[in-house]
Amino acid sequence: MKSSTISVNNKDLPIDQESTSLLDFLIKKKVDINHSCGGFGTCGTCRVFVKNYEILESRESIEQEMADDRGFLPSERLACQNHVIAGLVIEIPS
Ligand code: FES
């Protein structure tokens, strides 16, 4: 069912277990994503493109600071700084 999945690189992955963050979800799903700082919002390597970013909560200060520094588009988000939300459509930059 679409509402209980997240689309990652055009593949629907079921949300079938608890995850502390979108990064945690992707790691549990064995998606190839970097996370050099271990999820503390300081490295930027977990950056993903979120097609429907409007459904995410606003950036918290850590993520906002990096977004300002690096000139992120609204769709560029840190997987470690966002929650799992059913229906998200994301792409992992190669
Ligand atoms: S893992 Fe480093 S910013 Fe997300």
Side-chain angles (χ1 to χ4, degrees):
M1 200 165 86
K2 187 83 181 168
S3 62
S4 59
T5 62
I6 290 183
S7 172
V8 179
N9 294 344
N10 292 318
K11 190 174 170 207
D12 286 342
L13 303 180
I15 303 170
D16 51 10
Q17 55 188 319
E18 290 290 313
S19 299
T20 55
S21 66
L22 183 55
L23 176 64
D24 184 39
F25 172 82
L26 294 169
I27 290 170
K28 284 177 176 163
K29 293 295 178 188
K30 307 206 180 324
V31 172
D32 190 17
I33 183 166
N34 291 321
H35 46 95
S36 303
C37 74
F40 289 99
T42 56
C43 69
T45 57
C46 70
R47 179 181 59 110
V48 297
F49 289 95
V50 183
K51 197 169 177 191
N52 53 348
Y53 61 87
E54 308 84 11
I55 68 174
L56 289 171
E57 289 169 30
S58 303
R59 291 181 172 116
E60 297 282 350
S61 56
I62 290 177
E63 187 182 17
Q64 189 60 55
E65 206 171 297
M66 183 174 294
D68 291 343
D69 281 356
R70 302 190 183 186
F72 281 2
L73 297 169
S75 59
E76 292 180 86
R77 303 295 298 257
L78 298 179
C80 70
Q81 300 298 307
N82 284 279
H83 296 295
V84 170
I85 297 178
L88 280 174
V89 180
I90 70 174
E91 275 182 30
I92 315 284
S94 48

